Amino acid sequence: MRQELQSLPKGLADDVAKNLVMVAKLIDEDPEQAYAYSRVALRLASRVAAVREAAGFAAYANEKYSEALAEFRAARRMTGSAELWPVMADCERGLGRPEKALDMAGEPEVQRLDKAGQVEMRLVAAGARRDMGQVDAAIVTLQSPELASNSVQPWTARLRYAYADALLEAGREAEAREWFAKAVEADKDHSTNASDRLAELDGVEFVDAFDEDEEGDEAEAPVTVTSVDEADTEESDAKDGRDESDDDESDDEDGLDESDHEDAAEYYDPDDEEYEEEAAAVAAKPALDQPLFVAPEDGGEAGTEADESGSAADKG
């Protein structure tokens, strides 16, 4: 890239380089921002192959497949390299043209790719087969010396993962589990979610410990119910063996005077049949030997995040 930028005036070259650095830095964590930097670089130096390539990858990361394909084609015309051939084919998949991607997999350009490029092309071709509903053909496409090799290369985890995923789609769950486990062994930099897929097949469920603790704290928060009727209080007092002085002290604390008790005695007529039925119902209640606690009714549950949507490369 430095050699390509040397053809530009120094100040312009520095500005373009700064934007390309930001594209590379943000393309995984913030694709939209990376795309914005790539557009700036493209306005500054559209005739530099490295700029067109960076713009293509930024558009690809944002699923702008038509724009990405145009940039990759421009970069390929400038350099004559076949390096971008697999990602160009994957753009065809993203545009809903898996047949075109398969045609590209059979072109002479594939023979000019290095080993990593050829594996990538195989992944794209298998993905195209699956797009067309040809799962068994996708499995056969992925069966290769690179898949069978015990050596771990930069592409090994992704190749094993794609093979396991295709097996699972074909209903071959036992084999899929075996290959997800092999993908985990090779996935040192966690480029796939093979460990999660393996755990899912084993029936392991992951729970967010923070959310669980938060919900537990809310559920355990006690709310004391202090509004007990006078009949329950009298029954509780009798069971606790408290004397009349205790009742007087309790009345003082509750702000009740003697007239309140007189009014209550006058209201509850012992000879009244309705009162007798109510008294019998109260007597059937268990005594309140300790404060009554209930769970809060307005406790919320922690929300979950959403599902992620994969690019055309994720399908492969």
Side-chain angles (χ1 to χ4, degrees), residues 28 38 60 101 111 119 134-135 231 285 310 312:
D28 291 327
S38 75
Y60 179 81
Q111 305 303 319
V119 171
Q134 302 173 3
V135 182
K285 295 181 180 180

PDB file of all heavy atoms in Angstrom, residues 28 38 60 101 111 119 134-135 231 285 310 312:
ATOM      1  N   ASP A  28     -14.400  -4.283  11.952  1.00  0.00           N
ATOM      2  CA  ASP A  28     -15.033  -5.368  12.711  1.00  0.00           C
ATOM      3  C   ASP A  28     -15.958  -4.848  13.803  1.00  0.00           C
ATOM      4  O   ASP A  28     -17.058  -5.370  13.989  1.00  0.00           O
ATOM      5  CB  ASP A  28     -13.966  -6.283  13.332  1.00  0.00           C
ATOM      6  CG  ASP A  28     -13.218  -7.078  12.282  1.00  0.00           C
ATOM      7  OD1 ASP A  28     -13.843  -7.432  11.256  1.00  0.00           O
ATOM      8  OD2 ASP A  28     -12.019  -7.344  12.473  1.00  0.00           O
ATOM      9  N   SER A  38     -13.933   4.951   4.552  1.00  0.00           N
ATOM     10  CA  SER A  38     -13.565   4.441   3.230  1.00  0.00           C
ATOM     11  C   SER A  38     -14.071   5.364   2.127  1.00  0.00           C
ATOM     12  O   SER A  38     -13.414   5.533   1.099  1.00  0.00           O
ATOM     13  CB  SER A  38     -14.123   3.025   3.030  1.00  0.00           C
ATOM     14  OG  SER A  38     -15.524   3.041   2.794  1.00  0.00           O
ATOM     15  N   TYR A  60     -18.740  -4.411   1.863  1.00  0.00           N
ATOM     16  CA  TYR A  60     -19.065  -5.823   2.107  1.00  0.00           C
ATOM     17  C   TYR A  60     -19.463  -6.049   3.556  1.00  0.00           C
ATOM     18  O   TYR A  60     -20.429  -6.773   3.848  1.00  0.00           O
ATOM     19  CB  TYR A  60     -17.845  -6.667   1.736  1.00  0.00           C
ATOM     20  CG  TYR A  60     -17.992  -8.155   1.956  1.00  0.00           C
ATOM     21  CD1 TYR A  60     -18.643  -8.962   1.029  1.00  0.00           C
ATOM     22  CD2 TYR A  60     -17.439  -8.760   3.080  1.00  0.00           C
ATOM     23  CE1 TYR A  60     -18.752 -10.328   1.219  1.00  0.00           C
ATOM     24  CE2 TYR A  60     -17.545 -10.127   3.280  1.00  0.00           C
ATOM     25  CZ  TYR A  60     -18.194 -10.906   2.357  1.00  0.00           C
ATOM     26  OH  TYR A  60     -18.310 -12.263   2.545  1.00  0.00           O
ATOM     27  N   ALA A 101     -21.977 -17.584  -8.390  1.00  0.00           N
ATOM     28  CA  ALA A 101     -20.857 -17.901  -7.493  1.00  0.00           C
ATOM     29  C   ALA A 101     -20.272 -19.264  -7.825  1.00  0.00           C
ATOM     30  O   ALA A 101     -19.043 -19.448  -7.815  1.00  0.00           O
ATOM     31  CB  ALA A 101     -21.328 -17.852  -6.037  1.00  0.00           C
ATOM     32  N   GLN A 111      -7.272 -21.370  -9.796  1.00  0.00           N
ATOM     33  CA  GLN A 111      -5.983 -22.051  -9.801  1.00  0.00           C
ATOM     34  C   GLN A 111      -4.839 -21.088  -9.470  1.00  0.00           C
ATOM     35  O   GLN A 111      -3.743 -21.525  -9.089  1.00  0.00           O
ATOM     36  CB  GLN A 111      -5.736 -22.713 -11.165  1.00  0.00           C
ATOM     37  CG  GLN A 111      -6.845 -23.673 -11.590  1.00  0.00           C
ATOM     38  CD  GLN A 111      -7.080 -24.767 -10.558  1.00  0.00           C
ATOM     39  OE1 GLN A 111      -6.126 -25.316  -9.993  1.00  0.00           O
ATOM     40  NE2 GLN A 111      -8.346 -25.083 -10.323  1.00  0.00           N
ATOM     41  N   VAL A 119      -9.154 -22.489  -0.219  1.00  0.00           N
ATOM     42  CA  VAL A 119     -10.056 -22.932   0.854  1.00  0.00           C
ATOM     43  C   VAL A 119     -11.236 -21.974   0.959  1.00  0.00           C
ATOM     44  O   VAL A 119     -12.390 -22.394   1.119  1.00  0.00           O
ATOM     45  CB  VAL A 119      -9.307 -23.044   2.193  1.00  0.00           C
ATOM     46  CG1 VAL A 119     -10.285 -23.286   3.337  1.00  0.00           C
ATOM     47  CG2 VAL A 119      -8.276 -24.165   2.142  1.00  0.00           C
ATOM     48  N   GLN A 134     -28.989 -27.516  -1.911  1.00  0.00           N
ATOM     49  CA  GLN A 134     -28.214 -28.731  -2.205  1.00  0.00           C
ATOM     50  C   GLN A 134     -27.253 -29.027  -1.046  1.00  0.00           C
ATOM     51  O   GLN A 134     -26.034 -28.892  -1.167  1.00  0.00           O
ATOM     52  CB  GLN A 134     -27.457 -28.555  -3.516  1.00  0.00           C
ATOM     53  CG  GLN A 134     -28.350 -28.248  -4.707  1.00  0.00           C
ATOM     54  CD  GLN A 134     -27.563 -27.908  -5.971  1.00  0.00           C
ATOM     55  OE1 GLN A 134     -26.336 -27.941  -5.993  1.00  0.00           O
ATOM     56  NE2 GLN A 134     -28.277 -27.563  -7.035  1.00  0.00           N
ATOM     57  N   VAL A 135     -27.821 -29.442   0.075  1.00  0.00           N
ATOM     58  CA  VAL A 135     -27.018 -29.629   1.293  1.00  0.00           C
ATOM     59  C   VAL A 135     -26.012 -30.759   1.139  1.00  0.00           C
ATOM     60  O   VAL A 135     -24.848 -30.638   1.539  1.00  0.00           O
ATOM     61  CB  VAL A 135     -27.940 -29.888   2.509  1.00  0.00           C
ATOM     62  CG1 VAL A 135     -27.111 -30.042   3.779  1.00  0.00           C
ATOM     63  CG2 VAL A 135     -28.954 -28.765   2.667  1.00  0.00           C
ATOM     64  N   ALA A 231     -59.727  -7.903  64.481  1.00  0.00           N
ATOM     65  CA  ALA A 231     -60.055  -9.248  64.949  1.00  0.00           C
ATOM     66  C   ALA A 231     -58.838 -10.139  64.909  1.00  0.00           C
ATOM     67  O   ALA A 231     -58.596 -10.925  65.829  1.00  0.00           O
ATOM     68  CB  ALA A 231     -61.169  -9.834  64.094  1.00  0.00           C
ATOM     69  N   LYS A 285     -58.287 -18.605  60.536  1.00  0.00           N
ATOM     70  CA  LYS A 285     -57.024 -18.141  59.958  1.00  0.00           C
ATOM     71  C   LYS A 285     -55.852 -18.498  60.868  1.00  0.00           C
ATOM     72  O   LYS A 285     -55.989 -18.475  62.095  1.00  0.00           O
ATOM     73  CB  LYS A 285     -57.049 -16.631  59.741  1.00  0.00           C
ATOM     74  CG  LYS A 285     -58.057 -16.164  58.715  1.00  0.00           C
ATOM     75  CD  LYS A 285     -57.982 -14.657  58.562  1.00  0.00           C
ATOM     76  CE  LYS A 285     -58.983 -14.164  57.537  1.00  0.00           C
ATOM     77  NZ  LYS A 285     -58.923 -12.693  57.390  1.00  0.00           N
ATOM     78  N   GLY A 310     -26.452 -12.637   9.831  1.00  0.00           N
ATOM     79  CA  GLY A 310     -25.166 -12.882   9.212  1.00  0.00           C
ATOM     80  C   GLY A 310     -25.085 -12.341   7.823  1.00  0.00           C
ATOM     81  O   GLY A 310     -26.065 -12.140   7.138  1.00  0.00           O
ATOM     82  N   ALA A 312     -23.349 -12.679   3.825  1.00  0.00           N
ATOM     83  CA  ALA A 312     -23.281 -13.827   2.918  1.00  0.00           C
ATOM     84  C   ALA A 312     -22.148 -14.734   3.302  1.00  0.00           C
ATOM     85  O   ALA A 312     -22.225 -15.944   3.158  1.00  0.00           O
ATOM     86  CB  ALA A 312     -23.104 -13.322   1.481  1.00  0.00           C
TER      87      ALA A 312
END
